[in-house]
């Protein structure tokens, strides 16, 4: 929990946390507005988040990875090479 250096209220905005002051206290202290990070756009041109099926999880195997590993582990007669 980060608090404002001037009024000691809790700060939740990432830009305010980095500055150490809330937006209003920053303006009173320094005479200028606190610059907030860019927010995602809303409206027609906003990009929609990918669906759960389209998101790639790092390290996750696909069906094709499993099939390729299985093909490598079997010999030409269809027997598993690791079982002897």
């Amino acid at each position: 929990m980060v608090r404002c250096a001037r009024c000691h209220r809790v700060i939740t905005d990432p830009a305010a946390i980095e500055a150490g002051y809330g937006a209003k206290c920053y303006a009173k202290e320094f005479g200028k507005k606190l610059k907030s990070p860019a927010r995602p756009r809303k409206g027609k041109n906003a990009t929609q988040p990918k669906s759960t099926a389209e998101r790639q999880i790092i390290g996750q195997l696909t069906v094709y990875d499993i099939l390729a590993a299985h093909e490598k582990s079997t010999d030409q007669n269809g027997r598993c090479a690791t079982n002897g």
Side-chain angles (χ1 to χ4, degrees):
M1 180 181 330
V2 180
R3 295 188 173 268
C4 176
R6 187 169 187 266
C7 69
H8 305 290
R9 291 183 180 167
V10 176
I11 302 172
T12 57
D13 182 45
I17 291 172
E18 188 175 326
Y21 292 89
K24 291 181 181 180
C25 290
Y26 188 89
K28 289 178 183 177
E29 194 75 22
F30 299 104
K32 56 184 177 180
K33 289 185 176 182
L34 181 64
K35 293 183 180 179
S36 295
R39 295 184 181 180
R41 294 187 301 168
K42 294 181 181 178
K44 294 180 183 177
N45 297 332
T47 57
Q48 296 296 323
K50 291 183 177 181
S51 69
T52 308
E54 294 176 11
R55 269 186 247 146
Q56 182 180 8
I57 300 172
I58 298 172
Q60 183 178 15
L61 294 175
T62 65
V63 173
Y64 302 108
D65 296 329
I66 295 169
L67 290 174
H70 181 69
E71 288 175 3
K72 287 181 183 178
S73 67
T74 57
D75 62 7
Q76 292 179 353
N77 296 328
R79 294 181 297 186
C80 187
T82 57
N83 289 338

